[in-house]
Amino acid sequence: MARAATTTDAFNAVAEPRRRQILDVLIDGERPVSDLVRVLGLAQPQVSKHLRVLREVGVVKVRDDGRQRLYRLNGHALKPIHDWVTRYERTWSERFDRLDAVLEELKDEEM
């Protein structure tokens, strides 16, 4: 079975852990590639490769500032992921509510 291309959408792009790390760094604001290389401890070509994928799906935007290219997060492109995960949030909340009820019962039994 052929593997899906990683540049088709935000889901595929952020499935790679290093790309999520890049997004974690960019959440604090715009950064040049050199900062990402330093923070992540990766080689510049690796960071550039991941940035290219993130840029192609629109999760990252780039602008030129003199000789530097500055990258920033485009949170709007992550909305499909947020919308998908939100559907499951209700399930988690219900399970946490049930766990809270059980813990309260156990606490009452100990008294």
Side-chain angles (χ1 to χ4, degrees), residues 17-34:
R18 292 293 189 182
R19 293 183 198 137
R20 290 195 304 271
Q21 287 180 319
I22 290 172
L23 297 178
D24 288 345
V25 173
L26 293 177
I27 200 167
D28 292 328
E30 197 174 60
R31 299 268 189 122
V33 173
S34 58

Side-chain angles (χ1 to χ4, degrees), residues 32-101:
V33 173
S34 58
D35 276 9
L36 295 169
V37 166
R38 182 181 45 78
V39 170
L40 299 172
L42 297 173
Q44 193 272 331
Q46 286 179 292
V47 172
S48 293
K49 182 181 109 187
H50 290 305
L51 284 169
R52 180 183 51 78
V53 171
L54 293 169
R55 199 177 60 241
E56 286 177 359
V57 298
V59 174
V60 166
K61 299 236 180 206
V62 63
R63 73 176 177 91
D64 293 329
D65 183 31
R67 296 178 60 179
Q68 282 190 320
R69 300 189 87 193
L70 299 172
Y71 291 86
R72 69 179 185 281
L73 180 68
N74 177 22
H76 181 72
L78 294 172
K79 189 167 180 347
I81 295 172
H82 173 269
D83 293 347
W84 184 79
V85 170
T86 299
R87 293 184 357 210
Y88 295 92
E89 184 179 9
R90 184 182 52 195
T91 301
W92 303 328
S93 294
E94 290 170 1
R95 289 181 181 171
F96 284 128
D97 289 345
R98 285 190 300 220
L99 179 60
D100 285 345

